[in-house]
Amino acid sequence: MALRVAITAEPVPSHVSALDYVIGPSLEQGHRLALHAPLMFRREARLRGVDFHRAGTNWTCAPGVQQTAGTVWKRYGNGAFNRYVFGHLWTELAGRKAQDLLASWTRTRPDLVIAECSDFGAHLAARVLGLPLVAADNGLGPVLVDLWDSDIAPALSALHKQYELPAPALPPMVTPAPVDWFHETTPPGTRAVRRTVARFRTVLPDRLAPAPTARPLVYVSLGTLTTAMASLRTVVEGLYQEVMAALSATGCHAIVSAGELARHLRTTDSRITVVEHVPQPALLHHADLFVTHAGRGSLLDAVQGGTPVLAMGVLGDQPGNAAAFARLGLGQALDLTATRGEMADAITTVLGAPRYGAAVRAADAALSELPTFDPVESRDTLV
């Protein structure tokens, strides 16, 4: 039986890609999907062949929002940044998103809602209408669990009272990796499913196909959000420059993907190619090492590409993700304050130690053993 499935996303550039593990299997199983998201994701919906309905705004792109969030991060650290963003900004915008979704879902009632775990407006709208709801972990699941009782639930309480709902609670969650990779304890109702990526992200353009060489290939990307936030660009640009200097010292070939910052990055080393964007999952099948900001999607791309990581978490869930992958033996983690010499040493160590590659291959096998996401099963366990 084909279900009418509503998918929701919040306005962070990588967040639709983070939901491909529920979008892809749902399409393959013949269900009818509609993405309810800010306008920035209209093209992403078209690329995946799903309907698009505008819900919410591109509020994360507002200069004032980015400036304030970046200032909090720089002055007070990542913990304060997370509390401000998820306990204040995200919860403050939930009411507007809920209104859009209530109007849309009242006209056309979905059989199942798959909402980002951080999309509190979608959680609210589904509960108001009594719709089966499952949260898709976009990588922020561990952060939300940590902050739920202290910051997030209290901030959402007034909104829930407005709609005469019980106290806020995270809905049952699916996550695209073994739960213990990122969660120290399993949140209630959380289950792991197999990770998939959109097909168009698995094709590597000829211009980026690496030429045969005895030198290792290192791929560098510090993420879409960190390069898009104007208030963080100086920090991130400086980090890119340090990484590139470290790569020159090691003699590796490298492809550096830096989004809008690419035009500002300069190097005299012909072995380093700087580009704006690449189909990351495709390129990682050719790379020997991935220097990454440790976003959840990027780390799982590395596992499925068979590529060890040097992880340098910047904000949000990233520092915790970097530490988790280091504990799992899938690479090494460094602080943002690491010197180029420390980076070069870490790059050399990971490239020279076969145990990291073996650990990544074992992790990829563990991912492939997880069950595929099934919307009907998810719906049936909720009704």
Side-chain angles (χ1 to χ4, degrees), residues 174-192:
V174 292
T175 188
V179 178
D180 61 359
W181 282 14
F182 299 100
H183 292 271
E184 292 183 8
T185 59
T186 302
T190 299
R191 58 192 177 90

Side-chain angles (χ1 to χ4, degrees), residues 2-325:
L3 300 182
R4 184 180 290 110
V5 180
I7 310 281
T8 79
E10 287 287 79
V12 175
S14 61
H15 276 208
V16 171
S17 295
L19 300 177
D20 278 332
Y21 72 97
V22 293
I23 294 174
S26 298
L27 288 173
E28 291 175 1
Q29 294 165 33
H31 301 292
R32 294 170 290 178
L33 270 64
L35 176 64
H36 298 261
L39 192 59
M40 65 187 293
F41 289 132
R42 183 191 295 274
R43 179 175 179 271
E44 296 290 332
R46 184 172 66 250
L47 286 170
R48 289 162 174 80
V50 304
D51 293 336
F52 177 81
H53 299 280
R54 185 173 181 175
T57 65
N58 296 343
W59 62 269
T60 58
C61 301
V65 170
Q66 293 190 357
Q67 182 63 43
T68 303
T71 298
V72 170
W73 181 83
K74 286 188 282 190
R75 286 186 181 176
Y76 305 110
N78 193 54
F81 171 87
N82 285 342
R83 290 191 296 274
Y84 174 71
V85 170
F86 303 112
H88 175 67
L89 289 180
W90 235 271
T91 55
E92 190 175 78
L93 274 293
R96 167 67 186 276
K97 182 72 170 289
Q99 290 176 0
D100 291 348
L101 294 173
L102 286 168
S104 180
W105 293 345
T106 299
R107 290 192 301 269
T108 305
R109 187 179 178 88
D111 300 305
L112 175 67
V113 173
I114 305 173
E116 276 195 295
C117 61
S118 54
D119 194 343
F120 308 131
H123 302 174
L124 177 69
R127 285 169 172 145
V128 169
L129 296 175
L131 300 171
L133 166 67
V134 62
D137 188 356
N138 54 16
L140 295 172
V143 174
L144 301 184
V145 170
D146 288 345
L147 295 179
W148 191 264
D149 291 335
S150 60
D151 294 84
I152 297 172
L156 290 171
S157 292
L159 189 58
H160 276 241
K161 288 179 181 178
Q162 176 184 332
Y163 286 95
E164 299 181 347
L165 290 175
L170 271 174
M173 191 159 53
V174 292
T175 188
V179 178
D180 61 359
W181 282 14
F182 299 100
H183 292 271
E184 292 183 8
T185 59
T186 302
T190 299
R191 58 192 177 90
V193 297
R194 187 177 305 168
R195 182 175 189 261
T196 60
V197 298
R199 287 192 178 92
F200 70 88
R201 299 184 66 226
T202 65
V203 179
L204 188 65
D206 291 341
R207 63 182 177 83
L208 291 175
T213 175
R215 296 182 181 275
L217 174 65
V218 179
Y219 169 55
V220 181
S221 173
L222 301 178
T224 52
L225 179 60
T226 54
T227 53
M229 289 181 66
S231 58
L232 293 183
R233 282 179 188 166
T234 301
V235 174
V236 177
E237 183 177 344
L239 184 57
Y240 269 115
Q241 296 285 10
E242 290 299 296
V243 171
M244 290 164 62
L247 287 167
S248 290
T250 65
C252 297
H253 284 278
I255 295 176
V256 178
S257 175
E260 295 178 3
L261 287 178
R263 71 192 72 171
H264 303 292
L265 298 179
R266 298 286 182 267
T267 178
T268 58
D269 192 333
S270 61
R271 297 165 300 190
I272 299 177
T273 302
V274 181
V275 298
E276 288 192 9
H277 300 288
V278 299
Q280 181 169 283
L283 182 58
L284 282 168
H285 282 280
H286 300 272
D288 300 291
L289 174 66
F290 182 18
V291 180
T292 172
H293 67 304
R296 171 79 63 89
S298 290
L299 291 176
L300 296 181
D301 282 344
V303 170
Q304 292 181 306
T307 310
V309 303
L310 173 57
M312 305 182 72
V314 180
L315 48 72
D317 59 309
Q318 298 161 13
N321 294 343
F325 257 47

